[in-house]
């Protein structure tokens, strides 16, 4: 799957035996699908009042489920997540929301692992567990830097947001030298604006940290995003032909492709 934002918009036979020694063949049936031991975790730092990023994460999970994989969103109860996300349980197209009692990054990581291992048994096609991380908890990176092995950051092209996103990426990459940090640009009205925003981030990260960021595409600024937030309905089901739904589907494919490569079998 291409990682350029422009592309995102357009996804022995055995040796013969003597006849007398032959035995009837055993029909074992089709080889069962290999299930991963645990679904990959994707850490998503989202503030407690960030309705848009929470909605985008949930809608991304819906699109992954529509592609035939398992998708969950796990979030701590603290910080108002009950209002940001649907109620706990299984929702549209099998997407599950799990609210955690965790009070810190270490507890959140342990709960996420339990969920990832438990749900893997039901996910022959693989899947993803998105873990909502309250940004203040990143101060406790030493507790569980392995939760940050793979993170997805949403950012707009606003200069202040880009600076905040760079700061979070710096924390994550400094705490886990093997971390993969992906960026999805949202709220851009033009492709050129999104490309410029991602380029500014990557230049700063490479120059100051010596690390690269992965592109997870563009989510357009579309009225249907906000309509879906108000209606609390997935964009891909409410407005499947909208630019926002198509863009989310492209991002979902990128995330799912990487998830299948990273899954522990």
């Amino acid at each position: 799957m291409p990682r350029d934002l422009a592309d995102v918009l357009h996804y022995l036979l055995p040796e013969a035996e003597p006849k007398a020694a032959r035995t009837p063949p055993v029909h074992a049936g089709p080889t069962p699908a290999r299930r991963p031991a645990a679904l990959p975790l994707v850490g998503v730092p989202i503030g407690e009042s960030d309705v848009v990023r929470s909605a985008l994460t949930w809608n991304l999970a819906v699109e992954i489920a529509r592609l035939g994989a398992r998708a969950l969103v796990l979030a701590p109860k603290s910080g108002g997540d009950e209002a940001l996300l649907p109620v706990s349980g299984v929702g549209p197209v099998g997407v599950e929301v799990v609210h955690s009692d965790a009070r810190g990054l270490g507890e959140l990581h342990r709960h996420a692992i339990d969920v990832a291992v438990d749900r893997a048994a039901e996910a022959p096609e693989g899947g993803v567990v998105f873990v909502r991380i309250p940004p203040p908890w990143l101060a406790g990176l030493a507790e569980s830097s392995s939760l940050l092995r793979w993170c997805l950051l949403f950012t707009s092209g606003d200069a202040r947001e880009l600076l905040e996103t760079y700061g979070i990426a710096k924390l994550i990459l400094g705490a886990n030298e093997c971390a993969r940090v992906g960026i999805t640009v949202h709220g851009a009205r033009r492709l050129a604006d999104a490309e410029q925003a991602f380029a500014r981030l990557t230049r700063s990260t490479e120059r100051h940290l010596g690390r690269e960021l992965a592109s997870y595409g563009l989510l357009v600024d579309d009225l249907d995003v906000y309509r879906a937030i108000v209606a609390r309905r997935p964009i891909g089901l409410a407005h499947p032909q909208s630019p926002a739904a198509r863009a989310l589907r492209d991002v979902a494919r990128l995330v799912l492709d990487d998830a299948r490569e990273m899954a522990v079998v």
Side-chain angles (χ1 to χ4, degrees):
M1 177 65 69
R3 288 306 169 89
D4 185 85
L5 288 174
D7 293 332
V8 169
L9 287 179
H10 300 2
Y11 207 35
L12 302 282
L13 294 175
E15 187 176 0
E17 303 175 28
K19 186 173 181 180
R22 292 183 182 273
T23 56
V26 177
H27 298 284
T31 303
R34 299 176 67 194
R35 289 176 170 81
L39 298 179
L41 305 177
V42 182
V44 190
I46 298 175
E48 63 182 40
S49 60
D50 198 333
V51 177
V52 173
R53 286 181 177 84
S54 293
L56 290 175
T57 301
W58 181 59
N59 276 277
L60 187 54
V62 169
E63 291 306 312
I64 287 175
R66 292 181 69 201
L67 291 172
R70 188 72 187 267
L72 301 89
V73 180
L74 185 146
K77 289 181 179 178
S78 60
D81 281 278
E82 299 91 330
L84 293 177
L85 293 166
V87 296
S88 293
V90 179
V93 294
V95 173
E96 184 178 1
V97 173
V98 179
H99 291 293
S100 173
D101 291 322
R103 297 295 176 181
L105 200 62
E107 289 183 12
L108 185 63
H109 186 206
R110 288 189 289 274
H111 191 179
I113 290 175
D114 289 343
V115 171
V117 171
D118 182 65
R119 302 309 192 271
E122 308 163 359
E125 298 301 322
V128 176
V129 178
F130 291 102
V131 184
R132 200 285 259 187
I133 303 174
W137 290 12
L138 293 175
L141 289 180
E143 289 185 71
S144 189
S145 63
S146 55
L147 176 57
L148 307 173
R149 177 175 173 239
W150 185 17
C151 290
L152 176 62
L153 307 181
F154 293 104
T155 186
S156 72
D158 177 77
R160 181 175 178 178
E161 281 198 22
L162 289 174
L163 182 60
E164 291 176 350
T165 301
Y166 171 78
I168 292 175
K170 182 178 179 179
L171 280 173
I172 295 169
L173 293 171
N176 189 329
E177 62 181 14
C178 298
R180 177 183 182 84
V181 177
I183 303 294
T184 294
V185 180
H186 73 93
R189 295 187 179 275
R190 299 183 305 161
L191 174 61
D193 295 337
E195 289 178 330
Q196 183 179 28
F198 182 73
R200 290 178 63 184
L201 269 178
T202 54
R203 282 197 301 268
S204 296
T205 305
E206 291 173 2
R207 181 185 305 122
H208 300 295
L209 306 179
R211 301 289 294 277
E212 295 183 353
L213 300 174
S215 172
Y216 284 98
L218 162 69
L219 298 176
V220 295
D221 186 7
D222 192 289
L223 181 60
D224 289 324
V225 173
Y226 305 102
R227 287 173 174 167
I229 290 174
V230 173
R232 300 181 76 86
R233 291 189 62 198
I235 300 169
L237 299 183
H239 308 283
Q241 300 306 318
S242 67
R246 293 196 298 269
L248 272 165
R249 198 168 304 124
D250 287 335
V251 176
R253 288 191 182 98
L254 294 173
V255 173
L256 184 56
D257 284 348
D258 282 358
R260 285 170 171 161
E261 290 182 6
M262 298 175 69
V264 180
V265 179

